[in-house]
Amino acid sequence: MAIHKLSIDDFITIDYGLIAIHSPLEDYRLAYFLNRELAILLEKSAEDISYSIRGGESGFSRFAYEDGNDTLWSLVQNRHSIVGTQPGSESLFGQAGMNVATSTFLLPELKKVDYILKIENTPDVFALDTVVGSLLTVKHITTAYIIDHNKLKSKNNLIF
């Protein structure tokens, strides 16, 4: 009797591309400029991407668009700031519970990246380099580049 082994790696295929975007714009303004430059129709998703941290729950905004070729475009915020009170801390003037801002990241190894553009179900002839070139023509985008999947430790955060 023959023994058949299945490896998890046999089922994992990377059929998406990731582009890092550095921009000081708000998410809705960046989505507008991407729509105009890439001829897509990103819309605000009804659900944000929720991410559990030790202090509570964090949410990252998401804009999505699915074109006629079943290619799914997702613009996701990488940095989210949570403002809360820190219990047990007092300020110089005796005020209890100071407001503290904490930043959480969807991909913690890319802390300087503001937004991530995830393009799923791309055809074989799809070139991410042309998308990056188009993004660099937007004057409000500081820089954009392709992210290598193999270097990401927290790629499970990109399952949405």
Side-chain angles (χ1 to χ4, degrees), residues 69-144:
N69 300 328
D70 292 332
T71 302
L72 180 65
W73 299 70
S74 297
L75 176 67
V76 182
Q77 198 178 29
N78 188 41
R79 178 182 308 157
H80 180 71
S81 295
I82 302 171
V83 178
T85 58
Q86 184 177 8
S89 63
E90 291 189 19
S91 69
L92 180 64
F93 302 107
Q95 297 173 341
M98 293 175 39
N99 287 339
V100 177
T102 306
S103 292
T104 58
F105 299 94
L106 186 65
L107 297 176
E109 57 268 20
L110 299 173
K111 290 186 178 184
K112 294 187 179 185
V113 174
D114 298 314
Y115 298 97
I116 298 164
L117 183 63
K118 180 181 177 185
I119 307 169
E120 299 178 76
N121 302 328
T122 56
D124 293 336
V125 294
F126 191 83
L128 285 176
D129 294 333
T130 58
V131 175
V132 171
S134 298
L135 290 176
L136 292 175
T137 61
V138 177
K139 71 175 185 174
H140 300 291
I141 293 178
T142 308
T143 188

